[in-house]
């Protein structure tokens, strides 16, 4: 199954694209270990939607994700809070540490 998904440099410039991506990530049923979304034009609200409505809702992702690359996107307070929620969910579900994060 799919273990690594690299959508870096893809332009997700509207909420419809993020809704589509979030729905797809909620449906992943195999252990996704690496997710790279570097420089995808994600703003704070889009990041928040993706992290909370997509990733945090799927145990197959939160239990197995080892690398999450969201670098060169715009977090702001909203995106930062969503990342905190996701990391808390991941720690709760797997009882271990967070994945390697790339956020610069």
């Amino acid at each position: 199954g799919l273990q690594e998904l690299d959508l870096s440099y893809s332009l997700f410039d509207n909420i419809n694209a993020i809704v589509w991506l979030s729905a797809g990530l909620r449906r992943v049923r195999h252990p996704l270990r690496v997710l790279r979304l570097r420089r995808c034009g994600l703003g704070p609200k889009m990041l928040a939607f993706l992290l909370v409505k997509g990733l945090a809702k799927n145990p197959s992702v939160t239990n197995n994700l080892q690398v999450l690359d969201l670098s060169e996107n715009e977090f702001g307070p909203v995106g930062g809070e969503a990342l905190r929620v996701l990391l808390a969910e991941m720690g709760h579900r797997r009882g271990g540490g967070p994945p390697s994060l790339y956020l610069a």
Side-chain angles (χ1 to χ4, degrees), residues 1 6 8-9 14 18 20-23 26 30 34 43 49 56 59 66-67 70 72 76 84-85 91 93 99 102:
D6 188 348
S8 295
Y9 305 99
N14 65 60
I18 296 305
W20 172 82
L21 180 57
S22 296
R26 278 195 310 270
H30 42 269
V34 177
F49 189 91
Q66 296 171 357
V67 174
L70 297 170
E72 299 183 56
R84 187 197 65 75
V85 168
R93 283 198 179 151
Y102 300 92

Side-chain angles (χ1 to χ4, degrees), residues 7-76:
L7 296 172
S8 295
Y9 305 99
S10 300
L11 184 58
F12 295 104
D13 61 349
N14 65 60
I15 195 66
N16 291 332
I18 296 305
V19 169
W20 172 82
L21 180 57
S22 296
L25 289 171
R26 278 195 310 270
R27 291 185 184 102
V28 171
R29 296 293 173 238
H30 42 269
L32 184 64
R33 300 194 188 289
V34 177
L35 177 60
R36 297 185 192 282
L37 295 166
R38 181 180 188 169
R39 193 183 278 182
C40 288
L42 299 172
K45 290 181 182 177
M46 288 191 268
L47 271 170
F49 189 91
L50 178 66
L51 295 174
V52 174
K53 301 291 186 184
L55 295 176
K57 298 290 185 188
N58 187 339
S60 290
V61 173
T62 55
N63 290 342
N64 297 291
L65 195 64
Q66 296 171 357
V67 174
L68 177 59
D69 184 353
L70 297 170
S71 58
E72 299 183 56
N73 290 291
E74 184 183 338
F75 275 86

